Amino acid sequence: DARYALLRLEAEGHGGHFGGQAHEISMFKENIQRYAREEQMSRQMRGLVTELKAGTNAKKIVDAEARAQAHAAEAANYRDIVLRQQSIAGLFTPPKPAYMAKIALIKQLEMQLGQLGVVDDPYERCAGCDVANDAELARVVACALASYRR
């Protein structure tokens, strides 16, 4: 079972972890959540722009494009902040490749289950900005940075 293997990897320390001062960690987590929130809003606004372009209301299109650009700029700003924070020695140790490979497998399986109608919303866990623990936050960080490096 992929989830069991992921839990085992987490328990063995492959899922990434935090070190450093409590205020540094809380700021890092807050910036990760802000980055995820702005990135999600940017995607939603780009989708809205696409939908609006099917219509004829130019003012709404221009407004939505401006909002999408603003959210994209904020997301880029927070991404850069997170990347700088990651350069602080000992603050954050990213997940190991085996852990990330297992996450990718689980995500793929959830997508397949979602297509079959077994899972209501396969994106539900990934799209939220609230994270329950450090391992979940490490996963969000690694996914966000992996998408940035592509």
Side-chain angles (χ1 to χ4, degrees), residues 108-131:
Q108 178 186 7
L109 292 172
E110 285 177 345
M111 290 293 296
Q112 290 172 349
L113 289 172
Q115 289 174 344
L116 294 172
V118 177
V119 177
D120 291 334
D121 186 3
Y123 292 107
E124 188 173 355
R125 277 187 18 153
C126 299
C129 295
D130 297 328
V131 290

Side-chain angles (χ1 to χ4, degrees), residues 17-21 24-25 28 82-94:
H17 61 275
F18 293 91
Q21 302 294 320
E24 291 174 328
I25 294 170
F28 183 73
V82 168
L83 290 172
R84 281 193 301 273
Q85 286 178 312
Q86 283 187 323
S87 70
I88 298 170
L91 177 62
F92 175 72
T93 303

Side-chain angles (χ1 to χ4, degrees), residues 33 36-37 125 127-133 136-137 139-140:
Q33 291 177 347
R37 197 169 30 250
R125 277 187 18 153
C129 295
D130 297 328
V131 290
N133 55 40
E136 180 73 6
L137 182 59
R139 183 188 66 75
V140 170

Side-chain angles (χ1 to χ4, degrees), residues 26 34 48-49 51 54 90 101 106 112 121:
S26 67
R34 287 177 178 171
L48 179 63
V49 167
E51 289 176 18
I106 290 171
Q112 290 172 349
D121 186 3

Side-chain angles (χ1 to χ4, degrees), residues 1-12 14 97-113 125 139:
D1 180 47
R3 288 188 191 271
Y4 174 76
L6 184 67
L7 290 173
R8 191 185 82 242
L9 287 171
E10 243 176 62
E12 293 171 358
H14 294 272
Y99 183 83
M100 293 308 299
K102 197 57 69 177
I103 291 225
L105 174 65
I106 290 171
K107 212 170 172 183
Q108 178 186 7
L109 292 172
E110 285 177 345
M111 290 293 296
Q112 290 172 349
L113 289 172
R125 277 187 18 153
R139 183 188 66 75

